[in-house]
Amino acid sequence: MSPTPMTRDDWQALAEHLTAEKGLETRAYIDDAFVDAADGATLTTINPATGETLAEVASCDAADAEAAVSVARRAFEGGAWSRRAPGERKAVLLRLAELMEANKHELALLDTLDMGKPVNSSLGDMAGAIGCIRHHAESIDKLYGEVAPTGEESLGLVLREPLGVVASIVPWNFPLMMTAWKIAPALAAGNSVILKPSEKSPLSALRLAQLVREAGLPRGVFQVLPGFGHTVGKALALSMDVDCLAFTGSTGVGKQLMQYAGQSNLKKVFLECGGKSPNLVFADCKDLDRVAEHAAGAIFHNQGEVCIAGSRLLVENSIREAFVDKVLAAAERMQPGDPLDPESFMGAIVDDTQHARILEYIRRGVAEGATLRTGGQALGGEGPNGKGLFIGPTVFDGVTDAMAIGREEIFGPVLSVFGFDSEDEAVRLANDSDYGLAAGLWSQDIDRIMRVTRRLRSGQVFVNNWADMDQTVPFGGVKQSGNGRDKSHHSLEEYSDLKSVWMTLTA
Ligand code: NAD
């Protein structure tokens, strides 16, 4: 029998226990201890659905980064984790997954309170995060090295070895799930990991640190440094003793990290960055109602704060008018509401900076001549106290690739609709972007599906779905959307190096 689903009151009651006064962890986790930042600095984390302060959290800087890197290096060289048998690492990580499962409501709620997404959506993220830890735990003791086909006089072995100290720098839009995508393969491969959560959503990472400690990872193998990007993030990126930066976030910061690597020790930089993903709808689709529902969900899920949001909807002109009407009807059902209400489809926008940025893009869309079909305003009364940051589903039609709303990542619930007349024009528009993270394609014509799928320059192509996902399928982008892959055994390659060993017969 499945447990009774939590109600809004249940979530609210749980939220009342998650305060610093009642033991919510707000300090950094360095060398197996929860500590204040070296200079005592803190940052304030706010619940965007109410405007209320959630907690004052340690705000780390260069001194904390230096301390954590030296602990991580010592742990790595000590070998208690890096040289431990893969099967034993697996057991510890499976224990961590169990602990996360047992605490998933609390972890989900921390993400919702910190960044505003609906709590049921956060619970879905927990399933993704826990599944990712289990997947990599289960994989790591089933990977073999290679014996190269050399001549009989020698033996060529190809070994996979951990990189050393990995700094994982993650964003706020899926705080714990993005964290799991990074730390699960990095830890499974035997690295020491320093996690820097976003300054906008540090709470679940600190709770995770408590669970990691309980799971029994050796001292210093996992540490968490909350703080700002330009302080502690930059210090990690410039460190001479970090071997890999594993980053999820904006393309602009991704570019900075590559520069920091060049200015320091040429550390490996593995990037998952932004997107402006095209969703192509051809007139031959059988069930346009279903396609319209998915096209709306592709942009309005998670308030549009999704790297693979289907933010550019490309529709064949012969069906465009009727299809856009169906998208508008679907959008009407996806209005924001109180994130603690399990019925809410959208929640609050993460903070006032992002809220203002989205509204500014909407203003530019109108000024540049696109047709605003719905939404476009700041809302107020959706949260419990009328003080939250909400924006409803917003749809622009008649967008062109010369407009800012047609080219730039808005990271909010704003859909830009383009029309096209031919397959070639659709592909040209889809590929006319600096980004290449995801693309969608809706058609019943298998020849067209095969042709267009091959021509789209994108890390993933969703055919007759948007954002189907599984732990076994890699996730990542091309062009300025990034340069590596999360998830699946391919992500283990990001966190290990090949060592070639030549052994020669001596007699
Ligand atoms: P962001 O780039 O502003 O910040 C991401 C992280 O980088 C944060 O922890 C931040 O503190 C840190 N950071 C910022 N400046 C830094 C610096 N100079 N040095 C070191 N670290 C620094 O991104 P965000 O606003 O947190 O997240 C939204 C972005 O993330 C969007 O562009 C979105 O597309 C992208 N994203 C990509 C994926 C993916 O898998 N491709 C997934 C989720 C989000």
Side-chain angles (χ1 to χ4, degrees):
M1 213 174 71
S2 55
T4 324
M6 302 262 289
T7 64
R8 192 201 170 283
D9 288 348
D10 295 335
W11 286 113
Q12 183 60 45
L14 184 55
E16 275 151 27
H17 285 278
L18 298 178
T19 62
E21 297 72 45
K22 292 186 178 162
L24 177 70
E25 190 51 76
T26 57
R27 294 166 298 172
Y29 182 56
I30 302 174
D31 199 11
D32 218 18
F34 288 94
V35 292
D36 293 328
D39 64 2
T42 58
L43 59 83
T44 306
T45 174
I46 305 269
N47 177 350
T50 62
E52 288 161 1
T53 295
L54 285 168
E56 297 293 329
V57 175
S59 183
C60 296
D61 204 337
D64 307 286
E66 202 182 318
V69 171
S70 111
V71 167
R73 174 63 57 196
R74 199 168 59 232
F76 184 77
E77 299 303 336
W81 186 251
S82 55
R83 293 201 295 277
R84 196 148 165 190
E88 293 177 27
R89 294 205 294 265
K90 161 177 150 176
V92 176
L93 291 174
L94 287 179
R95 209 150 52 231
L96 172 62
E98 283 309 308
L99 289 166
M100 290 170 72
E101 184 76 48
N103 291 279
K104 66 181 177 190
H105 290 101
E106 193 180 324
L107 291 166
L109 184 56
L110 287 171
D111 276 356
T112 284
L113 295 172
D114 242 358
M115 60 68 68
K117 71 166 68 187
V119 72
N120 268 359
S121 175
S122 293
L123 258 187
D125 296 353
M126 292 314 115
I130 295 162
C132 184
I133 305 271
R134 286 208 172 105
H135 179 86
H136 288 291
E138 288 290 359
S139 307
I140 198 65
D141 65 347
K142 296 167 189 72
L143 291 175
Y144 291 77
E146 296 167 18
V147 177
T150 58
E152 282 190 15
E153 296 300 304
S154 57
L155 191 58
L157 302 179
V158 185
L159 308 180
R160 266 208 178 272
E161 299 202 330
L163 300 171
V165 177
V166 173
S168 296
I169 301 181
V170 296
W172 48 264
N173 61 334
F174 293 89
L176 201 68
M177 196 166 84
M178 293 298 106
T179 292
W181 287 13
K182 296 288 188 237
I183 70 165
L187 288 173
N191 297 285
S192 295
V193 175
I194 302 170
L195 170 66
K196 198 214 81 67
S198 168
E199 58 276 18
K200 300 180 187 182
S201 58
L203 296 176
S204 62
L206 296 171
R207 181 73 185 100
L208 180 71
Q210 294 176 320
L211 301 179
V212 165
R213 181 146 84 163
E214 208 178 324
L217 252 84
R219 180 172 182 169
V221 169
F222 180 73
Q223 300 173 88
V224 182
L225 301 183
F228 292 99
H230 64 274
T231 57
V232 68
K234 183 173 176 182
L236 288 168
L238 281 170
S239 167
M240 294 300 286
D241 211 15
V242 166
D243 299 291
C244 170
L245 286 177
F247 173 74
T248 300
S250 61
T251 294
V253 173
K255 288 181 182 183
Q256 279 179 304
L257 296 190
M258 286 192 140
Q259 290 178 358
Y260 298 152
Q263 287 164 27
S264 52
N265 61 345
L266 269 193
K267 55 181 70 65
K268 181 173 179 176
V269 182
F270 155 39
L271 303 173
E272 294 283 6
C273 297
K276 187 77 180 176
S277 298
N279 196 6
L280 284 61
V281 180
F282 288 92
D284 64 51
C285 288
K286 257 200 322 250
D287 184 352
L288 286 177
D289 289 315
R290 173 177 169 266
V291 181
E293 190 76 23
H294 281 269
I299 177 69
F300 301 131
H301 169 63
N302 214 53
Q303 309 76 243
E305 296 164 333
V306 184
C307 54
I308 54 162
S311 51
R312 288 188 294 147
L313 180 61
L314 278 48
V315 189
E316 194 158 353
N317 277 325
S318 58
I319 58 163
R320 180 162 139 213
E321 202 179 319
F323 187 75
V324 171
D325 285 344
K326 290 178 192 298
V327 172
L328 293 173
E332 195 49 43
R333 296 188 288 275
M334 297 178 180
Q335 297 298 324
D338 180 354
L340 294 189
D341 181 347
E343 299 299 314
S344 294
F345 183 87
M346 284 208 280
I349 302 298
V350 66
D351 66 2
D352 47 8
T353 309
Q354 184 64 12
H355 190 252
R357 187 182 132 94
I358 296 167
L359 292 175
E360 171 59 15
Y361 269 112
I362 293 171
R363 193 200 59 73
R364 280 174 77 183
V366 172
E368 288 180 336
T371 309
L372 180 63
R373 295 291 309 273
T374 190
Q377 287 110 32
L379 306 175
E382 287 63 26
N385 64 358
K387 293 187 183 155
L389 300 165
F390 295 87
I391 296 177
T394 297
V395 177
F396 279 103
D397 198 359
V399 178
T400 71
D401 49 5
M403 297 176 185
I405 59 164
R407 303 199 70 78
E408 296 174 21
E409 184 183 48
I410 299 174
F411 225 55
V414 182
L415 179 64
S416 297
V417 183
F418 296 64
F420 66 82
D421 289 312
S422 67
E423 191 177 296
D424 276 349
E425 188 186 6
V427 171
R428 185 193 63 73
L429 281 170
N431 286 340
D432 182 17
S433 172
D434 292 339
Y435 297 110
L437 191 53
L441 162 55
W442 302 83
S443 170
Q444 302 297 312
D445 177 344
I446 185 69
D447 289 356
R448 164 172 284 152
I449 289 171
M450 288 176 65
R451 274 194 309 270
V452 174
T453 298
R454 294 282 188 183
R455 293 176 68 192
L456 289 170
R457 289 193 63 203
S458 178
Q460 44 251 309
V461 178
F462 302 116
V463 179
N464 292 326
N465 72 83
W466 187 268
D468 274 5
M469 297 261 169
D470 191 78
Q471 299 301 337
T472 57
V473 182
F475 181 98
V478 298
K479 300 200 276 183
Q480 293 187 36
S481 288
N483 61 3
R485 291 295 177 268
D486 282 320
K487 302 173 84 179
S488 85
H489 63 271
H490 292 287
S491 70
L492 278 170
E493 291 160 17
E494 309 292 348
Y495 299 102
S496 54
D497 268 336
L498 294 180
K499 179 183 275 177
S500 302
V501 181
W502 282 96
M503 300 181 69
T504 303
L505 291 182
T506 56

CSV table of all heavy atoms in Angstrom, one decimal, residues 58-101:
chain,number,residue,atom,x,y,z
A,58,ALA,N,26.5,30.0,6.4
A,58,ALA,CA,27.9,30.4,6.3
A,58,ALA,C,28.2,30.8,4.9
A,58,ALA,O,27.8,30.1,3.9
A,58,ALA,CB,28.7,29.2,6.7
A,59,SER,N,29.0,31.9,4.7
A,59,SER,CA,29.3,32.4,3.4
A,59,SER,C,30.9,32.2,3.3
A,59,SER,O,31.6,33.0,3.8
A,59,SER,CB,28.9,33.8,3.3
A,59,SER,OG,29.2,34.3,2.0
A,60,CYS,N,31.3,31.1,2.6
A,60,CYS,CA,32.7,30.8,2.6
A,60,CYS,C,33.4,31.7,1.6
A,60,CYS,O,32.8,32.3,0.7
A,60,CYS,CB,32.9,29.3,2.2
A,60,CYS,SG,32.2,28.2,3.4
A,61,ASP,N,34.7,31.7,1.8
A,61,ASP,CA,35.6,32.5,0.9
A,61,ASP,C,36.9,31.7,0.7
A,61,ASP,O,37.0,30.5,1.0
A,61,ASP,CB,35.8,33.9,1.5
A,61,ASP,CG,36.2,34.9,0.5
A,61,ASP,OD1,36.6,34.6,-0.6
A,61,ASP,OD2,36.0,36.1,0.8
A,62,ALA,N,37.9,32.5,0.2
A,62,ALA,CA,39.2,31.8,-0.2
A,62,ALA,C,39.8,31.0,0.9
A,62,ALA,O,40.3,29.9,0.6
A,62,ALA,CB,40.1,32.8,-0.8
A,63,ALA,N,39.8,31.5,2.1
A,63,ALA,CA,40.4,30.7,3.2
A,63,ALA,C,39.8,29.4,3.4
A,63,ALA,O,40.4,28.3,3.7
A,63,ALA,CB,40.4,31.5,4.5
A,64,ASP,N,38.4,29.4,3.3
A,64,ASP,CA,37.7,28.1,3.5
A,64,ASP,C,38.0,27.1,2.3
A,64,ASP,O,38.1,25.9,2.5
A,64,ASP,CB,36.2,28.4,3.6
A,64,ASP,CG,35.9,29.4,4.6
A,64,ASP,OD1,35.9,29.1,5.8
A,64,ASP,OD2,35.6,30.6,4.2
A,65,ALA,N,38.1,27.7,1.1
A,65,ALA,CA,38.4,26.9,-0.1
A,65,ALA,C,39.7,26.2,0.1
A,65,ALA,O,39.9,25.0,-0.1
A,65,ALA,CB,38.3,27.7,-1.3
A,66,GLU,N,40.7,27.0,0.6
A,66,GLU,CA,42.1,26.5,0.7
A,66,GLU,C,42.1,25.4,1.8
A,66,GLU,O,42.7,24.3,1.5
A,66,GLU,CB,43.0,27.7,1.2
A,66,GLU,CG,44.4,27.4,0.9
A,66,GLU,CD,45.3,28.5,1.4
A,66,GLU,OE1,44.9,29.7,1.3
A,66,GLU,OE2,46.3,28.2,2.0
A,67,ALA,N,41.3,25.6,2.9
A,67,ALA,CA,41.3,24.6,3.9
A,67,ALA,C,40.6,23.3,3.3
A,67,ALA,O,41.2,22.2,3.5
A,67,ALA,CB,40.5,25.1,5.1
A,68,ALA,N,39.5,23.4,2.6
A,68,ALA,CA,38.8,22.3,2.1
A,68,ALA,C,39.6,21.5,1.1
A,68,ALA,O,39.7,20.3,1.1
A,68,ALA,CB,37.5,22.7,1.5
A,69,VAL,N,40.4,22.3,0.2
A,69,VAL,CA,41.2,21.6,-0.8
A,69,VAL,C,42.3,20.8,-0.2
A,69,VAL,O,42.6,19.7,-0.6
A,69,VAL,CB,41.7,22.7,-1.8
A,69,VAL,CG1,42.7,22.0,-2.8
A,69,VAL,CG2,40.6,23.3,-2.6
A,70,SER,N,42.9,21.4,0.9
A,70,SER,CA,44.0,20.6,1.5
A,70,SER,C,43.5,19.4,2.2
A,70,SER,O,44.1,18.3,2.1
A,70,SER,CB,44.8,21.6,2.3
A,70,SER,OG,44.7,21.3,3.7
A,71,VAL,N,42.3,19.5,2.8
A,71,VAL,CA,41.7,18.3,3.4
A,71,VAL,C,41.4,17.2,2.4
A,71,VAL,O,41.6,16.0,2.5
A,71,VAL,CB,40.4,18.7,4.2
A,71,VAL,CG1,39.6,17.5,4.6
A,71,VAL,CG2,40.8,19.5,5.4
A,72,ALA,N,40.8,17.7,1.2
A,72,ALA,CA,40.4,16.8,0.2
A,72,ALA,C,41.6,16.1,-0.4
A,72,ALA,O,41.6,14.9,-0.7
A,72,ALA,CB,39.7,17.6,-0.9
A,73,ARG,N,42.7,16.8,-0.6
A,73,ARG,CA,43.9,16.2,-1.1
A,73,ARG,C,44.4,15.2,-0.2
A,73,ARG,O,44.8,14.1,-0.6
A,73,ARG,CB,44.9,17.3,-1.4
A,73,ARG,CG,46.3,16.9,-1.8
A,73,ARG,CD,46.3,16.2,-3.2
A,73,ARG,NE,45.7,17.0,-4.2
A,73,ARG,CZ,45.3,16.6,-5.4
A,73,ARG,NH1,45.4,15.3,-5.7
A,73,ARG,NH2,44.8,17.4,-6.3
A,74,ARG,N,44.5,15.5,1.1
A,74,ARG,CA,45.0,14.5,2.1
A,74,ARG,C,44.1,13.3,2.1
A,74,ARG,O,44.6,12.2,2.1
A,74,ARG,CB,44.9,15.2,3.5
A,74,ARG,CG,45.8,14.5,4.5
A,74,ARG,CD,46.0,15.3,5.7
A,74,ARG,NE,44.8,15.6,6.4
A,74,ARG,CZ,44.3,16.8,6.8
A,74,ARG,NH1,45.1,17.9,6.5
A,74,ARG,NH2,43.2,17.0,7.4
A,75,ALA,N,42.8,13.5,2.0
A,75,ALA,CA,41.9,12.3,2.0
A,75,ALA,C,42.2,11.4,0.7
A,75,ALA,O,42.2,10.2,0.8
A,75,ALA,CB,40.5,12.7,2.0
A,76,PHE,N,42.4,12.1,-0.4
A,76,PHE,CA,42.6,11.4,-1.6
A,76,PHE,C,43.9,10.6,-1.6
A,76,PHE,O,44.0,9.4,-1.9
A,76,PHE,CB,42.6,12.4,-2.8
A,76,PHE,CG,42.8,11.6,-4.2
A,76,PHE,CD1,41.6,11.0,-4.7
A,76,PHE,CD2,44.0,11.6,-4.8
A,76,PHE,CE1,41.8,10.3,-5.9
A,76,PHE,CE2,44.1,10.9,-6.0
A,76,PHE,CZ,43.0,10.3,-6.6
A,77,GLU,N,45.0,11.3,-1.1
A,77,GLU,CA,46.3,10.6,-1.1
A,77,GLU,C,46.3,9.5,0.0
A,77,GLU,O,46.9,8.5,-0.2
A,77,GLU,CB,47.4,11.6,-0.8
A,77,GLU,CG,47.6,12.7,-1.8
A,77,GLU,CD,47.8,12.2,-3.2
A,77,GLU,OE1,48.3,11.1,-3.4
A,77,GLU,OE2,47.5,13.0,-4.1
A,78,GLY,N,45.5,9.7,1.0
A,78,GLY,CA,45.4,8.7,2.1
A,78,GLY,C,44.8,7.3,1.5
A,78,GLY,O,45.1,6.3,2.1
A,79,GLY,N,44.0,7.4,0.5
A,79,GLY,CA,43.5,6.2,-0.1
A,79,GLY,C,42.3,5.5,0.5
A,79,GLY,O,41.9,4.5,0.0
A,80,ALA,N,41.8,6.0,1.7
A,80,ALA,CA,40.7,5.3,2.4
A,80,ALA,C,39.5,5.2,1.5
A,80,ALA,O,38.7,4.3,1.7
A,80,ALA,CB,40.4,6.1,3.7
A,81,TRP,N,39.4,6.1,0.6
A,81,TRP,CA,38.3,6.1,-0.4
A,81,TRP,C,38.8,5.8,-1.8
A,81,TRP,O,38.3,4.9,-2.5
A,81,TRP,CB,37.5,7.4,-0.4
A,81,TRP,CG,36.3,7.4,-1.2
A,81,TRP,CD1,36.1,8.1,-2.4
A,81,TRP,CD2,35.0,6.7,-1.0
A,81,TRP,NE1,34.8,7.9,-2.9
A,81,TRP,CE2,34.1,7.0,-2.1
A,81,TRP,CE3,34.6,5.8,0.0
A,81,TRP,CZ2,32.8,6.5,-2.1
A,81,TRP,CZ3,33.3,5.3,-0.1
A,81,TRP,CH2,32.4,5.7,-1.2
A,82,SER,N,39.8,6.5,-2.2
A,82,SER,CA,40.3,6.5,-3.6
A,82,SER,C,40.8,5.1,-4.0
A,82,SER,O,40.8,4.7,-5.1
A,82,SER,CB,41.4,7.6,-3.9
A,82,SER,OG,42.4,7.4,-2.9
A,83,ARG,N,41.4,4.4,-3.0
A,83,ARG,CA,42.0,3.1,-3.3
A,83,ARG,C,41.1,2.0,-2.7
A,83,ARG,O,41.5,0.8,-2.7
A,83,ARG,CB,43.4,3.0,-2.8
A,83,ARG,CG,44.3,3.9,-3.6
A,83,ARG,CD,45.8,3.5,-3.5
A,83,ARG,NE,46.3,3.6,-2.1
A,83,ARG,CZ,46.8,4.7,-1.6
A,83,ARG,NH1,46.8,5.9,-2.3
A,83,ARG,NH2,47.2,4.8,-0.3
A,84,ARG,N,40.0,2.3,-2.2
A,84,ARG,CA,39.1,1.3,-1.6
A,84,ARG,C,38.5,0.5,-2.8
A,84,ARG,O,38.2,1.0,-3.9
A,84,ARG,CB,38.0,2.0,-0.9
A,84,ARG,CG,37.2,1.1,0.1
A,84,ARG,CD,36.8,2.0,1.2
A,84,ARG,NE,35.8,1.4,2.0
A,84,ARG,CZ,35.1,2.1,3.0
A,84,ARG,NH1,35.4,3.4,3.2
A,84,ARG,NH2,34.2,1.5,3.7
A,85,ALA,N,38.2,-0.8,-2.5
A,85,ALA,CA,37.6,-1.7,-3.6
A,85,ALA,C,36.3,-1.1,-4.0
A,85,ALA,O,35.5,-0.6,-3.2
A,85,ALA,CB,37.4,-3.1,-3.0
A,86,PRO,N,36.0,-1.0,-5.3
A,86,PRO,CA,34.8,-0.5,-5.8
A,86,PRO,C,33.5,-1.0,-5.1
A,86,PRO,O,32.6,-0.3,-4.8
A,86,PRO,CB,34.8,-0.8,-7.3
A,86,PRO,CG,36.3,-0.9,-7.6
A,86,PRO,CD,36.9,-1.4,-6.4
A,87,GLY,N,33.5,-2.3,-4.8
A,87,GLY,CA,32.4,-2.9,-4.2
A,87,GLY,C,32.1,-2.3,-2.8
A,87,GLY,O,31.0,-2.2,-2.3
A,88,GLU,N,33.2,-1.9,-2.1
A,88,GLU,CA,33.0,-1.3,-0.8
A,88,GLU,C,32.5,0.2,-0.9
A,88,GLU,O,31.7,0.6,-0.2
A,88,GLU,CB,34.3,-1.3,0.0
A,88,GLU,CG,34.7,-2.7,0.4
A,88,GLU,CD,36.1,-2.8,1.1
A,88,GLU,OE1,36.5,-1.8,1.7
A,88,GLU,OE2,36.7,-3.9,1.0
A,89,ARG,N,33.0,0.9,-2.0
A,89,ARG,CA,32.5,2.2,-2.2
A,89,ARG,C,31.0,2.1,-2.5
A,89,ARG,O,30.2,2.9,-2.1
A,89,ARG,CB,33.2,2.9,-3.4
A,89,ARG,CG,34.7,3.2,-3.1
A,89,ARG,CD,35.2,4.3,-3.9
A,89,ARG,NE,35.3,4.0,-5.3
A,89,ARG,CZ,36.4,3.6,-6.0
A,89,ARG,NH1,37.5,3.4,-5.3
A,89,ARG,NH2,36.4,3.3,-7.3
A,90,LYS,N,30.7,1.1,-3.3
A,90,LYS,CA,29.2,0.9,-3.6
A,90,LYS,C,28.4,0.8,-2.4
A,90,LYS,O,27.3,1.4,-2.3
A,90,LYS,CB,29.1,-0.4,-4.5
A,90,LYS,CG,27.8,-1.0,-4.6
A,90,LYS,CD,27.8,-2.2,-5.5
A,90,LYS,CE,26.8,-3.2,-5.1
A,90,LYS,NZ,26.8,-4.3,-6.1
A,91,ALA,N,28.9,0.0,-1.4
A,91,ALA,CA,28.0,-0.2,-0.2
A,91,ALA,C,27.8,1.1,0.5
A,91,ALA,O,26.7,1.3,1.0
A,91,ALA,CB,28.8,-1.2,0.7
A,92,VAL,N,28.8,1.9,0.6
A,92,VAL,CA,28.6,3.2,1.3
A,92,VAL,C,27.6,4.1,0.6
A,92,VAL,O,26.7,4.7,1.1
A,92,VAL,CB,30.0,3.9,1.5
A,92,VAL,CG1,29.8,5.3,2.1
A,92,VAL,CG2,30.9,3.1,2.3
A,93,LEU,N,27.8,4.1,-0.8
A,93,LEU,CA,26.9,5.0,-1.6
A,93,LEU,C,25.4,4.5,-1.5
A,93,LEU,O,24.5,5.3,-1.5
A,93,LEU,CB,27.4,5.1,-3.0
A,93,LEU,CG,28.7,5.9,-3.1
A,93,LEU,CD1,29.2,5.9,-4.5
A,93,LEU,CD2,28.5,7.4,-2.7
A,94,LEU,N,25.3,3.2,-1.5
A,94,LEU,CA,23.9,2.6,-1.4
A,94,LEU,C,23.3,3.0,0.0
A,94,LEU,O,22.1,3.3,0.1
A,94,LEU,CB,23.9,1.1,-1.6
A,94,LEU,CG,24.1,0.7,-3.0
A,94,LEU,CD1,24.1,-0.9,-3.1
A,94,LEU,CD2,23.1,1.3,-4.0
A,95,ARG,N,24.2,3.0,1.0
A,95,ARG,CA,23.7,3.5,2.3
A,95,ARG,C,23.2,4.9,2.3
A,95,ARG,O,22.2,5.3,2.8
A,95,ARG,CB,24.8,3.3,3.4
A,95,ARG,CG,24.3,3.0,4.8
A,95,ARG,CD,25.2,2.1,5.6
A,95,ARG,NE,26.6,2.6,5.6
A,95,ARG,CZ,27.7,1.8,5.3
A,95,ARG,NH1,27.5,0.5,5.0
A,95,ARG,NH2,28.9,2.3,5.4
A,96,LEU,N,24.0,5.7,1.6
A,96,LEU,CA,23.6,7.1,1.4
A,96,LEU,C,22.3,7.2,0.7
A,96,LEU,O,21.4,8.0,1.1
A,96,LEU,CB,24.7,7.9,0.6
A,96,LEU,CG,24.3,9.3,0.2
A,96,LEU,CD1,24.1,10.2,1.4
A,96,LEU,CD2,25.4,9.9,-0.7
A,97,ALA,N,22.1,6.5,-0.3
A,97,ALA,CA,20.8,6.5,-1.1
A,97,ALA,C,19.6,6.1,-0.1
A,97,ALA,O,18.6,6.7,-0.1
A,97,ALA,CB,20.8,5.5,-2.3
A,98,GLU,N,19.9,5.1,0.7
A,98,GLU,CA,18.8,4.7,1.7
A,98,GLU,C,18.5,5.9,2.6
A,98,GLU,O,17.3,6.1,2.9
A,98,GLU,CB,19.3,3.5,2.6
A,98,GLU,CG,19.3,2.2,1.9
A,98,GLU,CD,18.0,1.9,1.3
A,98,GLU,OE1,16.9,2.0,2.0
A,98,GLU,OE2,17.9,1.6,0.1
A,99,LEU,N,19.5,6.6,3.1
A,99,LEU,CA,19.3,7.7,4.0
A,99,LEU,C,18.6,8.8,3.3
A,99,LEU,O,17.7,9.5,3.9
A,99,LEU,CB,20.6,8.2,4.6
A,99,LEU,CG,21.3,7.2,5.6
A,99,LEU,CD1,22.8,7.6,5.8
A,99,LEU,CD2,20.5,7.3,6.9
A,100,MET,N,18.9,9.0,2.1
A,100,MET,CA,18.2,10.1,1.3
A,100,MET,C,16.7,9.7,1.2
A,100,MET,O,15.8,10.5,1.3
A,100,MET,CB,18.9,10.3,0.0
A,100,MET,CG,20.2,11.0,0.1
A,100,MET,SD,21.1,11.0,-1.5
A,100,MET,CE,20.2,12.2,-2.4
A,101,GLU,N,16.5,8.4,0.9
A,101,GLU,CA,15.1,8.0,0.7
A,101,GLU,C,14.3,8.2,2.0
A,101,GLU,O,13.2,8.7,2.0
A,101,GLU,CB,15.2,6.5,0.4
A,101,GLU,CG,13.9,5.8,0.1
A,101,GLU,CD,13.3,6.2,-1.3
A,101,GLU,OE1,14.1,6.1,-2.2
A,101,GLU,OE2,12.1,6.5,-1.3
